[in-house]
Coordinates of all heavy atoms in Angstrom, one line a residue:
E66 N 11.3 3.1 18.9 CA 10.7 2.6 20.2 C 9.6 3.5 20.5 O 9.7 4.7 20.6 CB 11.8 2.6 21.3 CG 11.3 2.1 22.6 CD 12.4 2.1 23.6 OE1 13.5 1.6 23.3 OE2 12.1 2.6 24.7
L67 N 8.5 2.9 20.9 CA 7.2 3.6 21.2 C 7.2 3.9 22.7 O 7.4 3.0 23.5 CB 6.0 2.8 20.8 CG 4.7 3.4 21.1 CD1 4.5 4.7 20.3 CD2 3.6 2.4 20.7
D68 N 7.0 5.2 23.0 CA 7.0 5.6 24.4 C 5.5 5.6 24.8 O 4.8 6.6 24.6 CB 7.6 6.9 24.6 CG 7.6 7.4 26.1 OD1 7.2 6.6 27.0 OD2 8.0 8.5 26.4
I69 N 5.0 4.6 25.5 CA 3.6 4.5 25.8 C 3.2 5.5 26.8 O 2.1 6.0 26.7 CB 3.3 3.1 26.4 CG1 3.5 2.0 25.3 CG2 1.9 3.0 26.9 CD1 3.3 0.6 25.7
V70 N 4.1 6.0 27.6 CA 3.7 7.0 28.6 C 3.3 8.3 27.9 O 2.5 9.0 28.4 CB 4.9 7.2 29.6 CG1 4.6 8.3 30.6 CG2 5.2 5.9 30.3
S71 N 3.9 8.6 26.8 CA 3.6 9.9 26.1 C 2.3 9.9 25.3 O 1.9 10.9 24.8 CB 4.8 10.3 25.2 OG 4.9 9.4 24.2
I72 N 1.7 8.7 25.1 CA 0.4 8.7 24.4 C -0.7 9.2 25.3 O -0.9 8.6 26.4 CB 0.1 7.2 24.0 CG1 1.2 6.7 23.0 CG2 -1.2 7.1 23.3 CD1 1.1 5.2 22.7
P73 N -1.4 10.2 24.8 CA -2.4 10.8 25.7 C -3.6 9.9 25.7 O -4.0 9.2 24.7 CB -2.8 12.1 25.0 CG -2.4 11.9 23.6 CD -1.2 10.9 23.6
I74 N -4.3 9.8 26.9 CA -5.5 9.1 27.0 C -6.6 10.0 26.7 O -6.9 10.9 27.5 CB -5.6 8.5 28.4 CG1 -4.5 7.5 28.6 CG2 -7.0 7.8 28.6 CD1 -4.5 6.8 30.0
T75 N -7.3 9.8 25.6 CA -8.4 10.7 25.2 C -9.7 10.2 25.7 O -9.8 9.1 26.1 CB -8.4 10.8 23.6 OG1 -8.8 9.5 23.1 CG2 -7.1 11.2 23.0
S76 N -10.7 11.1 25.6 CA -12.0 10.7 26.0 C -12.5 9.6 25.1 O -13.3 8.7 25.6 CB -13.0 11.9 26.0 OG -13.0 12.5 24.8
D77 N -12.1 9.5 23.8 CA -12.5 8.4 22.9 C -12.1 7.1 23.5 O -12.9 6.1 23.6 CB -11.9 8.5 21.6 CG -12.4 9.7 20.8 OD1 -13.2 10.5 21.3 OD2 -11.9 9.9 19.6
I78 N -10.9 7.0 24.0 CA -10.4 5.7 24.6 C -11.1 5.4 25.8 O -11.5 4.2 26.0 CB -8.8 5.9 24.8 CG1 -8.1 6.0 23.5 CG2 -8.3 4.7 25.6 CD1 -6.6 6.4 23.7
V79 N -11.3 6.3 26.7 CA -12.0 6.1 28.0 C -13.4 5.6 27.7 O -13.9 4.6 28.3 CB -12.0 7.3 28.9 CG1 -12.9 7.1 30.1 CG2 -10.6 7.7 29.3
I80 N -14.2 6.3 26.8 CA -15.5 5.9 26.5 C -15.6 4.5 25.9 O -16.5 3.7 26.2 CB -16.2 7.0 25.7 CG1 -16.4 8.3 26.5 CG2 -17.6 6.5 25.1 CD1 -16.7 9.5 25.8
H81 N -14.8 4.3 24.9 CA -14.8 3.0 24.2 C -14.6 1.9 25.3 O -15.3 0.9 25.3 CB -13.7 3.0 23.2 CG -13.7 1.7 22.3 ND1 -12.8 0.7 22.5 CD2 -14.5 1.4 21.3 CE1 -13.1 -0.3 21.6 NE2 -14.1 0.1 20.9
K82 N -13.6 2.0 26.1 CA -13.4 1.0 27.2 C -14.6 0.8 28.1 O -14.9 -0.3 28.5 CB -12.1 1.3 27.9 CG -10.8 1.1 27.2 CD -9.6 1.3 28.0 CE -8.4 1.1 27.2 NZ -7.1 1.3 28.0
Y83 N -15.1 2.0 28.5 CA -16.3 1.9 29.4 C -17.5 1.2 28.8 O -18.1 0.3 29.4 CB -16.7 3.3 29.8 CG -17.8 3.3 30.8 CD1 -17.7 3.0 32.1 CD2 -19.1 3.7 30.3 CE1 -18.8 2.9 33.0 CE2 -20.2 3.6 31.2 CZ -20.0 3.3 32.5 OH -21.1 3.2 33.3
I84 N -17.8 1.6 27.5 CA -18.9 0.9 26.9 C -18.7 -0.6 26.7 O -19.5 -1.4 26.9 CB -19.2 1.6 25.5 CG1 -19.8 3.0 25.8 CG2 -20.3 0.8 24.7 CD1 -19.9 3.8 24.5
R85 N -17.4 -0.9 26.3 CA -17.1 -2.3 26.1 C -17.2 -3.1 27.4 O -17.9 -4.2 27.4 CB -15.6 -2.4 25.6 CG -15.2 -3.8 25.4 CD -13.8 -3.8 24.8 NE -13.3 -5.1 24.7 CZ -12.0 -5.5 24.5 NH1 -11.1 -4.5 24.4 NH2 -11.7 -6.7 24.4
L86 N -16.7 -2.6 28.5 CA -16.8 -3.3 29.7 C -18.3 -3.4 30.2 O -18.7 -4.5 30.6 CB -16.0 -2.6 30.8 CG -14.5 -2.8 30.7 CD1 -13.7 -1.9 31.7 CD2 -14.1 -4.3 30.8
Y87 N -19.0 -2.3 30.1 CA -20.4 -2.3 30.5 C -21.2 -3.3 29.7 O -22.0 -4.1 30.3 CB -21.0 -0.9 30.3 CG -22.4 -0.8 30.7 CD1 -22.8 -0.6 32.1 CD2 -23.5 -1.0 29.8 CE1 -24.1 -0.5 32.5 CE2 -24.8 -1.0 30.2 CZ -25.1 -0.7 31.5 OH -26.4 -0.7 31.9
T88 N -21.1 -3.3 28.4 CA -21.9 -4.2 27.6 C -21.5 -5.6 27.7 O -22.3 -6.5 27.5 CB -22.0 -3.7 26.1 OG1 -20.6 -3.7 25.6 CG2 -22.6 -2.4 26.0
Q89 N -20.3 -5.9 28.0 CA -19.8 -7.3 28.1 C -20.2 -7.9 29.5 O -20.4 -9.1 29.6 CB -18.3 -7.4 27.9 CG -17.9 -7.2 26.5 CD -16.4 -7.3 26.3 OE1 -15.6 -7.1 27.2 NE2 -16.0 -7.6 25.1
Y90 N -20.2 -7.1 30.5 CA -20.4 -7.6 31.9 C -21.7 -7.3 32.6 O -21.9 -7.7 33.7 CB -19.2 -7.3 32.7 CG -17.9 -7.8 32.2 CD1 -17.0 -6.9 31.6 CD2 -17.6 -9.1 32.2 CE1 -15.8 -7.4 31.0 CE2 -16.4 -9.6 31.6 CZ -15.5 -8.7 31.1 OH -14.4 -9.2 30.5
S91 N -22.5 -6.5 32.0 CA -23.7 -6.1 32.6 C -24.9 -7.0 32.3 O -25.3 -7.2 31.1 CB -24.1 -4.6 32.2 OG -25.3 -4.3 32.8
S92 N -25.4 -7.6 33.3 CA -26.6 -8.5 33.1 C -27.9 -7.7 32.8 O -28.8 -8.2 32.3 CB -26.8 -9.4 34.3 OG -27.0 -8.7 35.4
V93 N -27.8 -6.4 33.2 CA -29.0 -5.5 33.0 C -29.1 -5.1 31.5 O -30.2 -4.8 31.0 CB -28.8 -4.3 33.9 CG1 -30.0 -3.3 33.7 CG2 -28.7 -4.7 35.3
N94 N -28.0 -5.1 30.8 CA -27.9 -4.6 29.5 C -28.8 -5.3 28.5 O -29.6 -4.6 27.8 CB -26.4 -4.8 29.0 CG -26.2 -4.3 27.6 OD1 -26.9 -3.5 27.1 ND2 -25.2 -4.8 27.0
E95 N -28.8 -6.6 28.4 CA -29.7 -7.4 27.5 C -29.7 -6.9 26.1 O -30.8 -6.9 25.5 CB -31.1 -7.5 28.1 CG -31.2 -8.2 29.5 CD -32.6 -8.3 30.0 OE1 -33.5 -8.0 29.3 OE2 -32.7 -8.7 31.2
G96 N -28.7 -6.4 25.6 CA -28.6 -6.0 24.2 C -29.1 -4.6 23.9 O -29.0 -4.1 22.8
S97 N -29.6 -3.9 24.9 CA -30.2 -2.5 24.7 C -29.1 -1.5 24.7 O -29.3 -0.4 24.2 CB -31.2 -2.2 25.7 OG -30.7 -2.1 27.0
G98 N -27.9 -1.8 25.1 CA -26.8 -0.8 25.2 C -26.8 0.0 26.4 O -27.6 -0.3 27.4
I99 N -26.0 1.0 26.4 CA -25.9 1.9 27.6 C -26.3 3.3 27.2 O -26.0 3.8 26.1 CB -24.5 1.9 28.1 CG1 -24.3 2.8 29.3 CG2 -23.5 2.3 27.0 CD1 -23.0 2.7 30.0
H100 N -27.1 4.0 28.0 CA -27.6 5.3 27.7 C -26.5 6.4 27.8 O -25.6 6.3 28.6 CB -28.7 5.7 28.7 CG -29.6 6.8 28.2 ND1 -29.2 8.1 28.4 CD2 -30.7 6.9 27.6 CE1 -30.1 8.9 27.9 NE2 -31.0 8.2 27.4
V101 N -26.6 7.3 26.9 CA -25.6 8.4 26.9 C -25.4 9.1 28.2 O -24.3 9.4 28.7 CB -26.0 9.5 25.8 CG1 -25.1 10.7 25.9 CG2 -25.9 8.9 24.4
N102 N -26.5 9.3 29.0 CA -26.5 10.0 30.3 C -25.7 9.1 31.3 O -25.0 9.7 32.2 CB -27.8 10.3 30.8 CG -28.5 11.4 30.0 OD1 -27.8 12.2 29.3 ND2 -29.8 11.5 30.1
T103 N -25.8 7.8 31.2 CA -25.0 6.9 32.1 C -23.5 7.1 31.7 O -22.7 7.2 32.6 CB -25.4 5.5 31.9 OG1 -26.8 5.4 32.2 CG2 -24.7 4.6 32.8
I104 N -23.2 7.1 30.5 CA -21.8 7.3 30.0 C -21.3 8.6 30.6 O -20.2 8.7 31.2 CB -21.7 7.2 28.5 CG1 -22.1 5.9 28.0 CG2 -20.2 7.5 28.1 CD1 -22.3 5.8 26.5
I105 N -22.0 9.7 30.4 CA -21.6 11.0 30.8 C -21.4 11.0 32.3 O -20.4 11.5 32.8 CB -22.6 12.1 30.4 CG1 -22.6 12.3 28.9 CG2 -22.4 13.4 31.1 CD1 -23.7 13.2 28.3
G106 N -22.4 10.4 33.1 CA -22.2 10.4 34.5 C -21.0 9.7 35.0 O -20.4 10.1 36.0
E107 N -20.6 8.6 34.3 CA -19.4 7.9 34.7 C -18.1 8.5 34.2 O -17.1 8.6 35.0 CB -19.5 6.4 34.2 CG -20.5 5.6 34.8 CD -20.2 5.3 36.3 OE1 -19.1 5.1 36.6 OE2 -21.2 5.3 37.0
V108 N -18.1 9.0 33.0 CA -16.8 9.5 32.4 C -16.5 10.9 32.9 O -15.3 11.3 32.9 CB -16.9 9.3 30.9 CG1 -15.6 9.8 30.2 CG2 -17.1 7.9 30.5
T109 N -17.5 11.7 33.2 CA -17.2 13.1 33.7 C -16.4 13.0 35.0 O -15.6 13.9 35.3 CB -18.4 13.9 33.9 OG1 -19.4 13.2 34.8 CG2 -19.1 14.3 32.6
T110 N -16.5 11.9 35.8 CA -15.7 11.8 37.0 C -14.2 11.6 36.7 O -13.4 11.7 37.6 CB -16.2 10.5 37.8 OG1 -15.9 9.3 37.1 CG2 -17.7 10.6 38.2
Q111 N -13.9 11.4 35.4 CA -12.5 11.3 35.0 C -12.0 12.5 34.4 O -10.9 12.6 33.8 CB -12.3 10.1 34.1 CG -12.7 8.8 34.8 CD -12.5 7.6 33.9 OE1 -11.5 7.5 33.1 NE2 -13.3 6.6 34.0
G112 N -12.8 13.6 34.5 CA -12.3 14.9 34.1 C -12.7 15.4 32.7 O -12.2 16.4 32.2
Y113 N -13.6 14.6 32.0 CA -14.0 15.0 30.7 C -15.4 15.7 30.8 O -16.2 15.3 31.6 CB -14.1 13.8 29.8 CG -12.8 13.1 29.6 CD1 -12.5 11.9 30.3 CD2 -11.8 13.6 28.8 CE1 -11.3 11.3 30.2 CE2 -10.6 12.9 28.6 CZ -10.3 11.8 29.3 OH -9.1 11.2 29.2
S114 N -15.6 16.7 29.9 CA -16.9 17.4 29.9 C -17.9 16.6 29.2 O -17.6 15.7 28.3 CB -16.7 18.8 29.3 OG -16.5 18.7 27.9
A115 N -19.2 17.0 29.4 CA -20.2 16.3 28.6 C -20.1 16.5 27.1 O -20.3 15.6 26.3 CB -21.6 16.9 29.1
A116 N -19.7 17.7 26.7 CA -19.5 18.0 25.3 C -18.4 17.1 24.7 O -18.5 16.6 23.6 CB -19.1 19.5 25.1
E117 N -17.2 16.9 25.4 CA -16.2 16.1 25.0 C -16.7 14.6 24.8 O -16.3 13.9 23.9 CB -15.0 16.1 25.9 CG -14.2 17.3 25.9 CD -13.1 17.3 27.0 OE1 -13.5 17.1 28.2 OE2 -11.9 17.5 26.7
I118 N -17.5 14.2 25.8 CA -18.0 12.8 25.8 C -18.9 12.6 24.6 O -18.8 11.6 23.9 CB -18.7 12.5 27.1 CG1 -17.6 12.5 28.2 CG2 -19.4 11.2 27.0 CD1 -18.2 12.6 29.6
K119 N -19.8 13.6 24.3 CA -20.7 13.5 23.2 C -20.0 13.5 21.9 O -20.3 12.7 21.0 CB -21.8 14.6 23.2 CG -22.8 14.4 24.3 CD -23.8 15.5 24.4 CE -24.8 15.3 25.5 NZ -25.8 16.4 25.6
N120 N -18.9 14.3 21.8 CA -18.1 14.3 20.6 C -17.4 13.0 20.4 O -17.3 12.4 19.3 CB -17.1 15.4 20.6 CG -17.7 16.8 20.4 OD1 -18.7 16.9 19.8 ND2 -17.0 17.8 20.9
S121 N -16.9 12.4 21.5 CA -16.3 11.1 21.4 C -17.2 10.0 21.0 O -16.9 9.1 20.2 CB -15.6 10.7 22.7 OG -14.5 11.6 23.0
I122 N -18.4 10.0 21.5 CA -19.4 9.0 21.2 C -19.7 9.1 19.7 O -19.8 8.1 19.0 CB -20.7 9.2 22.0 CG1 -20.5 8.8 23.4 CG2 -21.9 8.5 21.4 CD1 -21.6 9.2 24.4
N123 N -19.9 10.4 19.1 CA -20.1 10.5 17.7 C -18.9 10.0 16.9 O -19.1 9.3 15.9 CB -20.3 12.0 17.4 CG -21.7 12.5 17.8 OD1 -22.6 11.7 17.9 ND2 -21.8 13.8 18.1
T124 N -17.7 10.3 17.3 CA -16.5 9.8 16.6 C -16.4 8.3 16.6 O -16.2 7.6 15.6 CB -15.2 10.3 17.3 OG1 -15.2 11.8 17.2 CG2 -14.0 9.8 16.6
L125 N -16.6 7.7 17.8 CA -16.6 6.2 17.9 C -17.7 5.5 17.1 O -17.5 4.5 16.5 CB -16.7 5.8 19.4 CG -15.6 6.1 20.3 CD1 -15.9 5.9 21.8 CD2 -14.3 5.4 19.9
S126 N -18.9 6.2 17.0 CA -20.0 5.7 16.2 C -19.6 5.8 14.7 O -19.8 4.8 14.0 CB -21.2 6.4 16.5 OG -22.3 6.0 15.8
N127 N -19.1 6.9 14.3 CA -18.7 7.1 12.9 C -17.6 6.1 12.5 O -17.6 5.7 11.3 CB -18.3 8.5 12.7 CG -19.4 9.5 12.7 OD1 -20.6 9.2 12.6 ND2 -19.1 10.8 13.0
E128 N -16.8 5.7 13.4 CA -15.7 4.8 13.1 C -16.1 3.3 13.2 O -15.3 2.4 12.9 CB -14.5 5.0 14.0 CG -13.8 6.4 13.8 CD -12.7 6.7 14.8 OE1 -12.5 5.9 15.8 OE2 -12.0 7.7 14.6
G129 N -17.4 3.1 13.6 CA -17.9 1.8 13.7 C -17.5 1.0 14.9 O -17.6 -0.2 15.0
L130 N -16.9 1.7 15.9 CA -16.5 1.0 17.1 C -17.6 0.8 18.1 O -17.6 -0.1 19.0 CB -15.3 1.8 17.8 CG -14.1 1.9 16.9 CD1 -13.1 2.8 17.5 CD2 -13.5 0.5 16.7
I131 N -18.6 1.6 18.1 CA -19.9 1.5 18.8 C -21.0 1.8 17.9 O -20.8 2.3 16.8 CB -19.9 2.4 20.1 CG1 -19.9 3.9 19.6 CG2 -18.8 2.2 21.0 CD1 -20.1 4.9 20.8
Y132 N -22.2 1.3 18.3 CA -23.4 1.6 17.4 C -24.6 1.8 18.3 O -24.7 1.4 19.5 CB -23.6 0.4 16.5 CG -23.9 -0.9 17.1 CD1 -25.2 -1.3 17.4 CD2 -22.9 -1.7 17.5 CE1 -25.5 -2.5 18.0 CE2 -23.1 -2.9 18.1 CZ -24.4 -3.3 18.3 OH -24.7 -4.5 18.9
S133 N -25.6 2.6 17.8 CA -26.8 2.9 18.5 C -27.7 1.6 18.5 O -27.6 0.9 17.5 CB -27.5 4.1 18.0 OG -27.8 3.9 16.7
T134 N -28.5 1.5 19.5 CA -29.3 0.3 19.6 C -30.8 0.6 19.5 O -31.3 0.8 18.5 CB -29.0 -0.5 20.9 OG1 -29.2 0.3 22.0 CG2 -27.6 -1.1 20.8
I135 N -31.5 0.7 20.7 CA -32.9 0.9 20.7 C -33.3 2.4 20.3 O -34.5 2.6 19.9 CB -33.5 0.5 22.1 CG1 -32.9 1.4 23.2 CG2 -33.3 -1.0 22.3 CD1 -33.5 1.1 24.6
D136 N -32.4 3.3 20.4 CA -32.7 4.7 20.0 C -31.3 5.4 19.8 O -30.3 4.8 20.0 CB -33.6 5.4 20.9 CG -33.1 5.6 22.4 OD1 -31.8 5.6 22.6 OD2 -33.9 5.6 23.3
E137 N -31.3 6.7 19.5 CA -30.1 7.4 19.3 C -29.3 7.7 20.6 O -28.2 8.3 20.5 CB -30.3 8.7 18.5 CG -31.1 9.7 19.2 CD -32.6 9.6 19.1 OE1 -33.1 8.7 18.5 OE2 -33.3 10.4 19.8
N138 N -29.9 7.3 21.7 CA -29.2 7.6 23.0 C -28.6 6.4 23.7 O -28.1 6.5 24.8 CB -30.2 8.3 24.0 CG -30.5 9.7 23.5 OD1 -29.6 10.5 23.2 ND2 -31.8 10.0 23.4
H139 N -28.8 5.2 23.1 CA -28.2 4.0 23.6 C -27.2 3.4 22.7 O -27.4 3.3 21.5 CB -29.3 2.9 23.8 CG -30.2 3.2 25.0 ND1 -31.3 4.1 24.9 CD2 -30.2 2.7 26.2 CE1 -31.9 4.1 26.1 NE2 -31.3 3.3 26.9
F140 N -26.1 3.0 23.3 CA -25.0 2.5 22.4 C -24.4 1.2 23.0 O -24.5 0.9 24.1 CB -23.8 3.6 22.4 CG -24.2 4.8 21.6 CD1 -24.8 5.8 22.2 CD2 -23.9 4.8 20.2 CE1 -25.2 7.0 21.4 CE2 -24.3 5.9 19.5 CZ -24.9 7.0 20.1
Q141 N -23.9 0.4 22.0 CA -23.4 -0.9 22.3 C -22.0 -1.0 21.7 O -21.7 -0.3 20.6 CB -24.3 -2.0 21.7 CG -23.9 -3.4 21.9 CD -24.4 -4.0 23.2 OE1 -25.1 -3.3 23.9 NE2 -24.2 -5.2 23.4
Y142 N -21.1 -1.7 22.3 CA -19.8 -2.0 21.8 C -19.9 -2.9 20.5 O -20.6 -3.9 20.6 CB -19.0 -2.6 22.9 CG -17.6 -3.2 22.4 CD1 -16.6 -2.3 22.1 CD2 -17.4 -4.5 22.4 CE1 -15.4 -2.7 21.7 CE2 -16.2 -5.0 22.0 CZ -15.2 -4.1 21.7 OH -13.9 -4.5 21.3
A143 N -19.2 -2.5 19.5 CA -19.2 -3.3 18.3 C -18.1 -4.3 18.4 O -16.9 -4.0 18.5 CB -19.0 -2.4 17.0
E144 N -18.4 -5.6 18.4 CA -17.4 -6.7 18.6 C -16.8 -7.0 17.3 O -17.3 -6.9 16.2 CB -18.1 -7.9 19.2 CG -18.6 -7.6 20.6 CD -19.2 -8.8 21.2 OE1 -18.7 -9.9 21.0 OE2 -20.2 -8.6 21.9

């Protein structure tokens, strides 16, 4: 039996969900993705450092869950 309460919520999970929601529901997005500084500004409010967030972005990108768009600072959710 899996105890969901004991599964830690990592910055990878938080960032992935944030990028996914942002890119799916933002009319401003228009395919350009979300800037790293916007992600940092939102996710640091949940207790993660900028370094943790950047590491998570790299991990998610390497795993193919997000990808860079117009430059190396904008990311989109990979559907």
Side-chain angles (χ1 to χ4, degrees):
E66 181 178 314
L67 181 63
D68 181 8
I69 295 175
V70 176
S71 66
I72 298 173
I74 297 178
T75 65
S76 56
D77 292 2
I78 294 169
V79 172
I80 292 167
H81 186 258
K82 286 183 179 180
Y83 179 76
I84 293 173
R85 180 178 175 193
L86 289 173
Y87 179 87
T88 57
Q89 286 180 338
Y90 300 109
S91 176
S92 60
V93 178
N94 180 24
E95 297 181 9
S97 63
I99 182 172
H100 195 279
V101 170
N102 290 340
T103 303
I104 299 168
I105 290 171
E107 291 294 322
V108 179
T109 54
T110 64
Q111 297 184 34
Y113 298 101
S114 71
E117 287 175 306
I118 294 165
K119 287 179 181 179
N120 286 336
S121 292
I122 289 170
N123 287 333
T124 299
L125 293 169
S126 181
N127 290 338
E128 292 176 354
L130 298 172
I131 62 174
Y132 61 94
S133 60
T134 57
I135 59 174
D136 60 30
E137 68 276 355
N138 292 311
H139 286 82
F140 290 88
Q141 180 88 357
Y142 171 70
E144 296 183 36

